[in-house]
């Protein structure tokens, strides 16, 4: 089926056009369309996490279905609105996406954390991990953590993206960036985010070994 994609402002510059017709598989959702656009227009891919999507002139979520002949608009943050990036995604992660979300000329300190899958746990070789999330609640909790950091260390901005699905050793499971006017607040904000994420965000992981498997937190 065919849909129409509209690009505005920075999205138009990255894609190199203002509109196009795109063939997508029947039953596609917004996330599927964005994946196709990222592959078709690589310069657009780093911008996609910062965009909102409107279908038929109504803002929708990534899981929203896309009807045949629908019109999708990629909406960058409007003037005066700083982008906030707290996402759970099913694609490979890039540290640059969280860095770009918090970096500014006024942020003299920028601290990042990249959490990658280890190849062993307590001497057992890890074959893969499977991450599962209650995505809407997880993203809401990540946003809460960002708000807590901003209240505790005023002027500090946070961005977190966590991956779900099957990951193998070496792949990134989470990327975090914290930016502030001074390095101390940036370090503290990033550390706080990691610890809070482990406490309250509904994301689970299952480790697969050569001799068994276990849900982390429930195993022996």
């Amino acid at each position: 089926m065919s849909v129409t994609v509209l690009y505005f402002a920075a999205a138009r510059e990255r894609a190199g056009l203002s509109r196009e017709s795109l063939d997508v598989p029947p039953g596609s959702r917004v996330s599927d369309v964005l994946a196709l656009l990222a592959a078709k227009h690589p310069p657009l891919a780093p911008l996609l996490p910062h965009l909102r999507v409107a279908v038929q002139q109504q803002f929708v979520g990534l899981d929203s279905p896309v009807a045949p002949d629908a019109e999708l608009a990629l909406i960058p943050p409007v003037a005066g609105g700083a982008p906030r990036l707290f996402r759970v995604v099913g694609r490979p992660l890039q540290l640059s996406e969280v860095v770009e979300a918090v970096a500014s000329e006024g942020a003299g300190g920028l601290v990042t954390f990249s959490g990658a899958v280890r190849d062993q746990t307590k001497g057992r070789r890890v074959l893969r991990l499977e991450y599962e999330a209650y995505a809407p609640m997880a993203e809401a909790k990540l946003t809460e953590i960002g708000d807590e950091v901003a209240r505790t260390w005023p002027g500090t901005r946070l961005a977190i993206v966590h991956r779900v699905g099957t990951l193998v050793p070496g792949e990134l499971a989470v990327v975090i960036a914290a930016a502030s006017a001074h390095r101390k607040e940036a370090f503290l904000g990033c550390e706080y985010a990691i610890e809070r994420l482990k406490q309250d965000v509904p994301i689970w992981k299952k480790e697969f070994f050569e001799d068994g498997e276990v849900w982390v937190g429930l195993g022996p």
Side-chain angles (χ1 to χ4, degrees):
M1 68 181 189
S2 178
V3 299
T4 299
V5 182
L6 307 181
Y7 301 94
F8 298 94
R12 182 187 65 251
E13 293 177 349
R14 297 288 185 95
L17 70 172
S18 60
R19 66 184 295 145
E20 68 176 319
S21 178
L22 183 72
D23 289 328
V24 301
S28 291
R29 298 183 179 275
V30 168
S31 58
D32 301 318
V33 176
L34 294 183
L36 291 173
L37 293 176
K40 186 174 183 180
H41 304 294
L44 181 65
L47 188 64
L48 291 177
H50 309 298
L51 304 181
R52 299 177 73 185
V53 179
V55 175
Q56 304 301 99
Q57 302 182 16
Q58 297 292 325
F59 285 120
V60 298
L62 295 177
D63 288 333
S64 296
V66 178
D69 300 319
E71 179 184 88
L72 283 78
L74 303 192
I75 312 293
V78 298
R84 287 162 60 85
L85 182 59
F86 300 100
R87 292 278 183 85
V88 174
V89 301
R91 55 167 174 77
L93 304 182
Q94 294 184 343
L95 186 61
S96 60
E97 60 187 305
V98 288
V99 170
E100 291 176 2
V102 300
S104 71
E105 293 184 358
L110 196 157
V111 175
T112 64
F113 172 78
S114 300
V117 176
R118 297 188 301 268
D119 63 357
Q120 63 85 31
T121 296
K122 297 180 180 179
R124 302 172 74 187
R125 189 163 77 89
V126 174
L127 302 179
R128 68 184 187 277
L129 295 186
E130 290 186 1
Y131 281 89
E132 179 180 328
Y134 179 15
M137 182 177 176
E139 292 186 345
K141 287 296 182 182
L142 293 176
T143 302
E144 286 181 15
I145 294 171
D147 292 339
E148 291 168 9
V149 167
R151 287 195 302 269
T152 306
W153 298 281
T156 301
R157 296 185 60 203
L158 191 71
I160 307 173
V161 181
H162 203 297
R163 187 176 171 185
V164 293
T166 301
L167 285 75
V168 298
E171 290 191 293
L172 293 176
V174 62
V175 287
I176 303 174
S180 193
H182 305 287
R183 66 180 183 274
K184 180 179 180 180
E185 289 78 6
F187 272 108
L188 290 172
C190 190
E191 182 181 28
Y192 179 88
I194 298 165
E195 298 305 322
R196 287 285 288 112
L197 188 156
K198 293 180 179 180
Q199 292 172 354
D200 282 348
V201 180
I203 298 175
W204 306 273
K205 69 178 178 181
K206 190 174 189 179
E207 289 185 303
F208 289 80
F209 309 99
E210 293 175 308
D211 58 350
E213 59 194 54
V214 62
W215 285 103
V216 176
L218 295 179

